[in-house]
Amino acid sequence: MESIARKTLLYKSGLGFFCVNPVQGCSHGCRYPCYAYMMARSYGRAKTYAEWCAPKLVSNAAEVLEKELDRKRALPDIVNFSLTTDPFMVGYPEVAEMSMRLIALINSRGIPCSILSKGILPRELADRERFPAENIYGISLISLDEGFRRRWEPGAAPYADRIRALRILHDGGRRTLVHMEPYPTPNFIEQDLGEILKAIGFADSVYFGGWNYNAEARGYPRYREFYQERTKIVRDFCAARGIACDLGKSR
């Protein structure tokens, strides 16, 4: 795996929360299109999709992050992994090793982390001696259909494997999240949202949002009505089970 060095690692995103991205690029190669890839291309960090899918590890990430935490007068309330890459990228154990190291470093300063992945969340994250109960562990999941995944998230972990790993952490007493965005309209795939919700009904919180950055979704004849109906299904499901629910907006 190629590596790069950076002068900074911890930053506040345009969305207002602090993030750490220990990798440039992502082998998962999501084709929604991937907003992170679009931004990287616009800033000259990746010229092509193939280059984006050949990730580069930030080799000095731990050293840079430690210095940044030492210098900050006001520490973040929570740090997110990651906005433009995946902390547990499939096929790259060195990425997972670095992410675990950085999470532990941040936690050692009394700061919880929120982790979101399309990979396999390590069961070691359930270790109460290494990682505090305040951490949040999440997976991105918008279908159960592997044919759909292979088309739109070709390098990511199978859906069932993601759910299984999340369930292990939940059963270990960890806080768990399922991020259901970008949820596809029927012109991408016909599927039963209820079946997906049943599969992740153990989670502590669910985020649901529409398929943005792709005109095909808005081309569905009942685009707005579809998302209104699905939003109600998610809201009712979560309310019936005491699951925290955050509903994004479709554009």
Side-chain angles (χ1 to χ4, degrees):
M1 185 179 189
E2 291 187 48
S3 64
I4 58 174
R6 283 188 179 155
K7 295 182 179 179
T8 61
L9 196 74
L10 180 66
Y11 73 99
K12 194 171 187 179
S13 76
L15 298 174
F17 49 78
F18 282 91
C19 299
V20 163
N21 295 303
V23 184
Q24 180 173 293
C26 182
S27 65
H28 293 167
C30 297
R31 298 178 178 274
Y32 305 133
C34 173
Y35 181 74
Y37 165 59
M38 292 191 296
M39 292 301 295
R41 189 175 181 182
S42 67
Y43 283 105
R45 298 193 189 103
K47 295 180 181 178
T48 65
Y49 175 79
E51 184 180 344
W52 176 255
C53 292
K56 299 178 177 66
L57 183 69
V58 180
S59 59
N60 63 337
E63 293 77 14
V64 171
L65 180 60
E66 187 168 20
K67 290 178 181 178
E68 289 178 316
L69 292 173
D70 286 341
R71 289 197 300 262
K72 274 197 174 293
R73 293 182 180 179
L75 294 174
D77 294 327
I78 191 168
V79 175
N80 292 266
F81 284 75
S82 299
L83 189 63
T84 65
T85 188
D86 196 298
F88 297 105
M89 201 177 299
V90 174
Y92 289 89
E94 55 269 72
V95 172
E97 182 180 349
M98 179 63 79
S99 295
M100 295 283 277
R101 182 179 176 187
L102 298 181
I103 293 167
L105 174 58
I106 293 168
N107 288 165
S108 72
R109 305 303 178 91
I111 307 168
C113 295
S114 179
I115 294 97
L116 184 66
S117 179
K118 291 187 180 76
I120 305 299
L121 293 169
R123 65 176 61 229
E124 289 82 3
L125 291 168
D127 185 343
R128 294 173 182 270
E129 294 185 3
R130 291 185 65 192
F131 304 104
E134 291 77 16
N135 282 352
I136 302 169
Y137 304 111
I139 59 170
S140 177
L141 186 88
I142 54 175
S143 182
L144 299 176
D145 187 291
E146 280 300 295
F148 177 86
R149 180 194 63 79
R150 285 189 290 270
R151 179 181 178 187
W152 295 101
E153 302 173 353
Y159 294 130
D161 293 347
R162 295 182 215 177
I163 296 170
R164 190 177 302 111
L166 189 70
R167 184 62 189 251
I168 289 171
L169 295 181
H170 171 81
D171 291 348
R174 307 286 87 179
R175 297 170 65 190
T176 53
L177 160 73
V178 177
H179 190 273
M180 301 181 71
E181 183 188 40
Y183 191 79
T185 47
N187 51 328
F188 291 107
I189 183 174
E190 292 274 1
Q191 59 181 2
D192 185 345
L193 175 57
E195 289 301 311
I196 303 172
L197 291 170
K198 287 179 185 177
I200 53 92
F202 61 86
D204 298 298
S205 58
V206 170
Y207 178 90
F208 180 84
W211 191 306
N212 300 314
Y213 312 115
N214 191 319
E216 287 186 53
R218 292 188 294 275
Y220 181 66
R222 298 181 61 253
Y223 171 80
R224 296 193 182 280
E225 292 85 352
F226 173 80
Y227 281 121
Q228 288 171 356
E229 293 164 0
R230 294 320 179 266
T231 295
K232 183 178 185 305
I233 291 172
V234 174
R235 183 190 296 115
D236 292 348
F237 179 90
C238 291
R241 289 160 180 77
I243 299 171
C245 185
D246 188 359
L247 302 171
K249 294 181 179 180
S250 301
R251 299 182 180 182

